Each structure stands twice: as structure tokens, then as C-alpha cells.
Amino acid sequence: AAVGVDIETHRPVDLPALGRDALAPAEAAWLEGFTEPRERLLGFYRCWTRKEAVLKAVGVGLSVDLRRWDTVPAADRGTVRDTTSSPARLWAVENPPSLPDTTMAVGRPAATAEDDLSIRALSAAETGGADFPVAGETTLKGFRALKEM
């Protein structure tokens, strides 16, 4: 099954402009609920990484109207309707834990959402970056467990 992953390092963004161009109305409304700038930025990256992960899994990238893809950011796991296929397909998306100042999302067909995924987390020595909070082989369920630690 297709899987899409997106990892973004947090940096300042023009939230009003990106919100108009990239967020579904429900996502924009959810984001407006945050009053602190840091929380609003984290909320934006939650939406953005979910959107990119699903669009990568679908195989259309950023060539579509991003406002038509609602990633249900308030839910731990959202279900996104693929409006580019006929019949429309459903995609599950979530944000596993990631490094400080980064947001990660995984998107895959909703029918496989309960199946676990194998993940190999690369070390800082392999990537020249920072270590993930888990090393070597793990599963998506293993990543989720980090939220509870």
C-alpha cells in the first residue's frame, strides 16, 4: 500500500498568506482557536505535514488545490478524502512524535490504518542531524508510545 511521510523543521512562516492558500476552511478555523503564536505555528505544521504526507501517498504532490484537503488536525488520527480519484479514496493521517522543532506526519490508505508499519529511524551519524527519540528498527505503534512516556 502507498505510504506518504513528511517531516518539516519549524521555521517562521507567513501564516495569514499560507492559511489562505493552503488550509481547508475547517483547518483555518481550528488554527484560529490558538491565541499563542508558538501554538499557532505548531498547529500550522500539524496541518501542513498531514496534507503533504497524504498528497505524497496519493502521488499528486502540491499540484492540487490544497484547500480542498481537510486533514482533521484536532484528531489524533484524521481521515482525509482524496478528491482526485474516482471513486474517492479515504486516507488515514497522523503525527507521530518527532525531534524537537520538527513535525512529522504519516499518511496511508484508511483501510490499512490499523496495520502497523515498520520504521527504521536513522541515527544522527547517518544523517548528519539529530537522533530521533527511538533508534534502529521500530514500528509506528512504537513511535506512538513515545507520546505516552
Side-chain angles (χ1 to χ4, degrees):
V3 174
V5 176
D6 188 54
I7 302 172
E8 297 283 341
T9 299
H10 302 162
R11 63 187 192 292
V13 295
D14 182 351
L15 286 178
L18 278 172
R20 279 189 309 274
D21 295 339
L23 298 180
E27 292 170 327
W30 177 78
L31 204 58
E32 286 297 318
F34 295 106
T35 56
E36 295 294 319
R38 173 88 177 138
E39 292 301 313
R40 189 171 285 184
L41 182 68
L42 295 175
F44 169 78
Y45 277 109
R46 182 175 176 93
C47 294
W48 183 261
T49 56
R50 284 177 170 215
K51 200 168 294 248
E52 276 209 54
V54 170
L55 294 173
K56 287 175 182 178
V58 172
V60 296
L62 299 177
S63 65
V64 297
D65 182 354
L66 301 176
R67 297 167 296 178
R68 295 187 62 190
W69 297 74
D70 179 3
T71 63
V72 195
D76 284 340
R77 276 193 188 165
T79 301
V80 179
R81 183 177 204 76
D82 172 4
T83 58
T84 66
S85 67
S86 182
R89 293 181 297 174
L90 296 178
W91 295 84
V93 66
E94 65 182 289
N95 298 93
S98 61
L99 297 171
D101 296 319
T102 63
T103 301
M104 176 173 44
V106 176
R108 58 190 164 146
T112 67
E114 295 307 315
D115 298 341
D116 207 3
L117 296 174
S118 294
I119 297 173
R120 180 170 181 270
L122 299 176
S123 69
E126 292 172 290
T127 65
D131 281 321
F132 267 98
V134 63
E137 296 286 331
T138 189
T139 62
L140 189 54
K141 287 179 184 173
F143 258 67
R144 285 186 205 122
L146 294 171
K147 284 184 179 178
E148 299 161 10
M149 295 177 90

